């Protein structure tokens, strides 16, 4: 019994903010941003809510128009009643209660879905897929929707050139199916790195109570030690890739395509060099999206599948890393 991806979707807010536009807010230049990160533009929600873009991505996946180039014509439209589980990975929900999962379930009429949110920052989609796969197997859930979605523009400090250039908004969705024949997901490796958790933070803002003693420690925007996160990312990605290959008994050359978290092109090329993998095997979508945290991997996977490069039987590795800090890798066969 396997769990495989049968359809994907993605959505970006309409407004595309290129690097030149960022110069209106902070002292930077387009060439610096592109050469240090690979980012040329990001999309920022003006009017769209996180719910809007998430439902748009999920509806595209529900059309079931298929894993392009994978020898499949697509499963065709998926009935809303078929979805038994909805996991919504995010750090930027529109509201805390109801959860984003509950809002999407209601908006899309997924009457049979158990829904909830999951926060593992930029690793959220990898963690969400791990949880979904496990629940599907143990509870016999036939189809599940996993969404990674963010409106990071709301928690970015637009006066800090070290962070505001990096992030963007977007949503990605996949539909997983329990399949008696096809292997689908072959293996996972998930890990937390608590010792460097302070390198990337975003606080919360609460009302004080008549009993409050603590004072607000962290502002409610992203703060990051870029150099530390960069070093962590290269090390953690290397570690989870090695471990998932070891667990599955596969060699790096057995993997046809890699879909890494889109945080910085230099992180991706560093890892490519370490493993001696040609860059053409890596899906790179960062130039037009920036870092979209939990949305980054499912959106990049959607780009890869729609490019028609992935063929039936190909093995694809998804790799995420992010706040917590945390990291994870998944190998799947299409
Ligand atoms: N424009 C122009 N100059 C800048 C900018 C900017 N936007 N930002 C920083 N600089 C300057 C710095 O002030 C510094 O100047 P100085 O030498 O005069 O002090 C110089 O550029 C070098 O700064 P560094 O921070 O050392 O630049 P670096 O090459 O490390 O690049 C970056 C910074 C892009 C943030 C890099 O460290 C990085 O990508 N880190 C990883 C970030 C990441 O992946 N975060 C997310 C991961 S987890 C998640 O996805 C939530």
């Amino acid at each position: 019994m396997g769990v495989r991806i049968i359809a994907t979707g993605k959505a970006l807010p309409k407004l595309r903010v290129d690097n030149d536009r960022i110069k209106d807010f902070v002292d930077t230049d387009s060439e610096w941003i592109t050469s240090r990160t690979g980012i040329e533009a990001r999309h920022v929600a003006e009017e769209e809510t996180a719910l809007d873009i998430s439902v748009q991505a999920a509806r595209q996946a529900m059309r079931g128009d298929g894993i392009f180039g994978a020898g499949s014509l697509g499963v065709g439209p998926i009935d809303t009643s078929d979805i038994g589980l909805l996991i919504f990975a995010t750090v930027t929900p529109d509201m805390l209660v109801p959860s984003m999962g509950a809002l999407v379930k209601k908006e899309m009429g997924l009457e049979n879905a158990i829904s909830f949110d999951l926060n593992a920052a930029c690793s959220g989609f990898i963690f969400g897929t791990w949880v979904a796969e496990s629940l599907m197997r143990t509870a016999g859930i036939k189809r599940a929707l996993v969404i990674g979605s963010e409106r990071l523009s709301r928690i970015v400090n637009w006066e800090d050139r070290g962070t505001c250039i990096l992030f963007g908004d977007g949503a990605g969705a996949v539909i997983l199916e329990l399949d008696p024949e096809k292997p689908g997901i072959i293996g996972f490796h998930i890990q937390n790195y608590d010792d460097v958790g302070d390198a990337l933070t975003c606080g919360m803002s609460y009302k004080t109570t008549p009993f409050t003693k603590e004072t607000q420690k962290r502002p409610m925007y992203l703060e990051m030690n870029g150099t530390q996160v960069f070093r962590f990312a290269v090390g953690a990605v290397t570690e989870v890739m090695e471990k998932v290959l070891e667990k599955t008994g596969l060699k790096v050359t057995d993997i046809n395509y890699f879909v890494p978290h889109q945080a910085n092109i230099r992180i991706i090329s560093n890892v490519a060099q370490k493993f001696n993998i040609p860059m053409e095997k890596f899906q790179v979508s960062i130039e037009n999206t920036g870092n979209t945290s939990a949305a980054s991997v499912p959106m990049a996977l959607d780009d890869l599948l729609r490019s028609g490069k992935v063929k039936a039987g190909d093995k694809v590795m998804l790799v995420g890393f992010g706040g917590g800090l945390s990291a994870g890798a998944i190998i799947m066969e299409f």
Side-chain angles (χ1 to χ4, degrees), residues 52-295:
D52 293 333
I53 54 173
S54 306
V55 167
Q56 203 184 323
R59 288 212 166 111
Q60 188 183 25
M62 293 290 281
R63 285 203 284 277
D65 38 23
I67 305 300
F68 299 88
S72 145
L73 293 174
V75 288
I78 293 158
D79 202 282
T80 49
S81 63
D82 277 2
I83 303 296
L85 173 69
L86 161 54
I87 297 183
F88 195 106
T90 190
V91 292
T92 49
D94 286 333
M95 52 207 296
L96 285 177
V97 182
S99 68
M100 290 302 296
L103 294 172
V104 171
K105 174 183 153 84
K106 186 173 173 196
E107 179 73 20
M108 294 182 66
L110 307 174
E111 68 256 39
N112 295 319
I114 304 294
S115 63
F116 58 91
D117 289 7
L118 179 150
N119 174 347
C122 309
S123 309
F125 177 77
I126 302 284
F127 279 52
T129 304
W130 179 57
V131 175
E133 194 252 9
S134 168
L135 281 175
M136 290 173 80
R137 283 179 188 279
T138 51
I141 297 165
K142 196 166 172 283
R143 283 178 172 169
L145 184 54
V146 181
I147 299 175
S149 173
E150 304 284 8
R151 268 185 69 194
L152 292 176
S153 56
R154 286 186 292 194
I155 59 163
V156 159
N157 177 2
W158 288 98
E159 290 170 359
D160 173 20
R161 67 178 183 172
T163 53
C164 75
I165 56 156
L166 297 173
F167 299 101
D169 302 337
V174 305
I175 293 170
L176 297 170
E177 182 174 79
L178 201 57
D179 192 308
E181 284 154 25
K182 301 208 171 108
I185 291 170
I186 304 171
F188 291 93
H189 182 77
I190 309 277
Q191 201 163 325
N192 289 113
Y193 298 81
D194 324 323
D195 51 328
V196 277
D198 269 359
L200 178 63
T201 59
C202 177
M204 288 281 281
S205 179
Y206 287 111
K207 265 181 95 61
T208 52
T209 75
F211 314 101
T212 308
K213 293 219 170 79
E214 58 167 5
T215 50
Q216 189 69 35
K217 290 196 190 84
R218 304 255 186 208
M220 207 173 155
Y221 51 74
L222 283 166
E223 291 187 298
M224 180 179 72
N225 179 329
T227 310
Q228 205 181 351
V229 173
F230 191 100
R231 257 191 246 119
F232 154 78
V234 174
V237 168
T238 305
E239 180 166 21
V240 296
M241 283 176 64
E242 278 169 352
K243 290 205 168 140
V244 76
L245 287 168
E246 197 182 305
K247 279 183 181 175
T248 54
L250 292 168
K251 297 189 293 297
V252 76
T253 47
D254 293 328
I255 309 297
N256 300 88
Y257 294 100
F258 297 82
V259 182
H261 172 42
Q262 310 284 311
N264 188 322
I265 187 70
R266 290 188 295 131
I267 295 174
I268 300 173
S269 53
N270 243 284
V271 170
Q273 264 175 21
K274 272 191 162 190
F275 285 91
N276 200 17
I277 305 167
M279 271 304 274
E280 303 80 71
K281 283 191 163 196
F282 284 85
Q283 176 61 33
V284 176
S285 305
I286 193 171
E287 65 276 8
N288 186 42
T289 61
N291 179 346
T292 56
S293 188

